[in-house]
Amino acid sequence: WDYFTSPGAVTGMMGTYTDDGLELLKKGGFNWIWLTWSAGFSYPQEEVQQAILRPFVKKCSGAGMHCTAYLSMCNVFVQDVEANQPELLESLQRNAQGGVIPYAAARYLDKPLRLMGCLNHPKWKEHLRNRLKSAIDAVFIGAFYDNLSTACYCPRCQGREAASATG
């Protein structure tokens, strides 16, 4: 997974989200599954996966199977977001020197391909609300957030830290 830089790399999994896939889950005795709804790509790129998941989640729900949406809370696939949703780049986490913070669990040969969004930035908060709302609209009954790294030194985060330390 470290090397995937495009949501197109996971399209091989999409054949699973069919009637046959649902039958296989039922035969396996599953009554609750987790599906990747948002991994950190831009809205247009993630729509490819989400358009396939929407009807599958409804079929699962109709068959009595619960679905939890996997949402990456801070992940930003920077090349894709830069091309398709550049307004989010201002909401990236910053280190103490003002540079961006890469996703730490990945290896990079050159510059980082995955960066981290700032949980206190208004645009990032709006982005997360939109992602969760789209999962709720798709009939997911739960959400699992991953990649919750908060090591941000942006002025907004540092102001919150200072206020909590003195208050």
Side-chain angles (χ1 to χ4, degrees):
W1 293 99
D2 292 4
Y3 302 102
F4 288 168
T5 59
S6 166
V10 296
T11 55
M13 293 291 297
M14 292 180 183
T16 305
Y17 310 132
T18 62
D19 291 339
D20 289 342
L22 179 57
E23 286 304 312
L24 186 62
L25 289 167
K26 288 178 2 186
K27 284 180 186 173
F30 289 89
N31 65 357
W32 204 308
I33 60 172
W34 143 20
L35 300 164
T36 300
W37 186 252
S38 177
F41 293 99
S42 66
Y43 291 149
Q45 290 299 320
E46 290 195 331
E47 177 57 28
V48 173
Q49 165 98 344
Q50 292 170 359
I52 293 167
L53 285 178
R54 276 186 206 94
F56 185 70
V57 170
K58 287 184 177 145
K59 285 180 183 180
C60 288
S61 179
M65 189 175 304
H66 306 295
C67 297
T68 294
Y70 170 95
L71 301 130
S72 180
M73 187 167 264
C74 294
N75 241 358
V76 177
F77 284 87
V78 69
Q79 293 169 325
D80 170 53
V81 170
E82 191 172 55
N84 296 300
Q85 232 177 324
E87 67 278 6
L88 283 180
L89 295 177
E90 73 182 64
S91 61
L92 295 175
Q93 289 186 26
R94 300 292 169 173
N95 62 27
Q97 293 74 39
V100 294
I101 297 179
Y103 174 70
R107 294 177 299 240
Y108 306 103
L109 298 175
D110 190 13
K111 64 181 183 175
L113 302 175
R114 292 164 72 176
L115 301 175
M116 304 303 285
C118 172
L119 292 174
N120 291 312
H121 195 286
K123 283 192 180 189
W124 194 255
K125 287 180 179 182
E126 178 185 4
H127 171 73
L128 292 176
R129 278 191 297 273
N130 290 340
R131 285 288 192 226
L132 182 57
K133 183 182 180 322
S134 70
I136 291 167
D137 291 346
V139 198
F140 281 97
I141 64 159
F144 169 76
Y145 282 103
D146 195 8
N147 305 307
L148 300 138
S149 175
T150 56
C152 189
Y153 283 83
C154 77
R156 180 176 285 105
C157 289
Q158 291 310 297
R160 288 177 59 106
E161 288 294 319
S164 70
T166 60

